[in-house]
Amino acid sequence: SGRAPSMSPPLTELRVIEGFGGLYFAGDDGQIWSLHHGTLRPRKTRISPRGYPGLHLHYQGKRIYCRVHALVVRAFHGPRPKGMLCRHEDDDKTNSRPDNLSWGTYSQNYQDWKAAQEEEAYRAWAAQSGVPPEAVPKQPKLFSLDEDEEEFFF
């Protein structure tokens, strides 16, 4: 994949977003940039009703709505493999940094969501039980008694 012109901001790696004529770039900070009249500028995003940052890109007279994570994952991890979708490793829809994104299966994405729901339920229980917030682990530990048994949170 291509690299951005030398105008890139300091401390940010930019990669070309394919399919837009070299006019748009994704940064390793999760930001989208545009090259307009020779000037590289960060693009403003808006949060969709489903909680994902998105923006409109313009190319060949068309206005195209894109989710930020979809642009970043393509720029840093290549085209979408058949049957895969973009996963947020930390389950934060607003964290579009490439080190937080990966291609994965629908099953993996569902398991991510399920684990996040269980963690949220655990945190709610801990709060109701009077467990101080600093005593609640960031992610519950997972263990398995046997390969055939289900995994448990504790």
Side-chain angles (χ1 to χ4, degrees), residues 3 27 41 51 61 64 73 78 90 97 105 111 117 145 149:
R3 299 266 183 218
R41 297 181 181 160
I64 303 161
V73 75
D90 66 359
R97 298 175 60 93
T105 65
Q111 292 302 319
Q117 297 301 310
L145 297 176
E149 295 194 29

Side-chain angles (χ1 to χ4, degrees), residues 18 23 32 60-61 67 74 78 96 99 122 136 141-142:
E18 300 296 333
L23 299 175
I32 303 301
Q60 295 183 341
R67 288 183 175 172
R74 285 182 180 107
S96 295
D99 59 356
Y122 174 77
V136 178
K141 293 181 181 177
L142 218 50

Side-chain angles (χ1 to χ4, degrees), residues 3 19-20 35-36 56 58 63-64 108:
R3 299 266 183 218
F20 292 95
L35 186 60
H36 187 69
H56 286 94
H58 301 269
R63 185 175 183 235
I64 303 161
Q108 288 171 318

